[in-house]
Amino acid sequence: MKLNEIIDNEGARRPRIRVGRGIGSTKGKTGGRGVKGQTSRSGVAIKGYEGGQMPIHMRLPKRGFKNIFRLSYNVINVGKIQDAVDAGKLDVKVPVDVETLVAAGILRRAKDGVRLMAAGEIKAKVDFVVAGASEAAKAAVEKAGGSVKVIERKAPVEKKAAAK
């Protein structure tokens, strides 16, 4: 069997029904849309309409919660930091934080901070100022002679109306 010999099974694909092509075609004249009314016209899509009955998406209960104050962090591994140091992108004398990583081209954009993870190996003595770090990452950095300073970033809190 060759690629040019592969074909669908008989009846696997049905031909497209050409509507509005004469009364004898069974889909002529109104084209299966009934007579008059909004949905017989073009450009109409009434999604979820059930003839006046409460639609199912409104009958079912809503679930879940989306925290609008959730912080989003960039995640970076110590192995990637070591690669950047080896390539000369990062200066080990300067503390590594979000702005340093973005300027070096390691991160695309600064979100709400950086979380340091332990994948890979680090040999350079680097000081980190990050929003979070795993215990294994802290141990790996400290073993190489560096330090990890975790800064506390808080989500913005709604301002309460001043009480009179």
Side-chain angles (χ1 to χ4, degrees), residues 55-70:
I56 192 162
H57 72 276
M58 294 174 76
R59 290 197 304 263
L60 295 174
K62 291 174 176 55
R63 298 205 16 117
F65 169 74
K66 186 165 179 107
N67 186 359
I68 60 170
F69 300 114
R70 180 178 179 208

Side-chain angles (χ1 to χ4, degrees), residues 7-15:
I7 57 169
D8 282 330
N9 292 334
E10 192 65 38
R13 293 178 184 237
R14 302 182 74 183

Side-chain angles (χ1 to χ4, degrees), residues 38-55:
Q38 185 179 9
T39 52
S40 72
R41 319 286 196 233
S42 66
V44 176
I46 305 173
K47 300 265 192 298
Y49 183 70
E50 297 183 16
Q53 173 177 290
M54 185 66 71

Side-chain angles (χ1 to χ4, degrees), residues 131-142:
S134 67
E135 292 297 322
K138 282 182 188 176
V141 170
E142 288 165 0

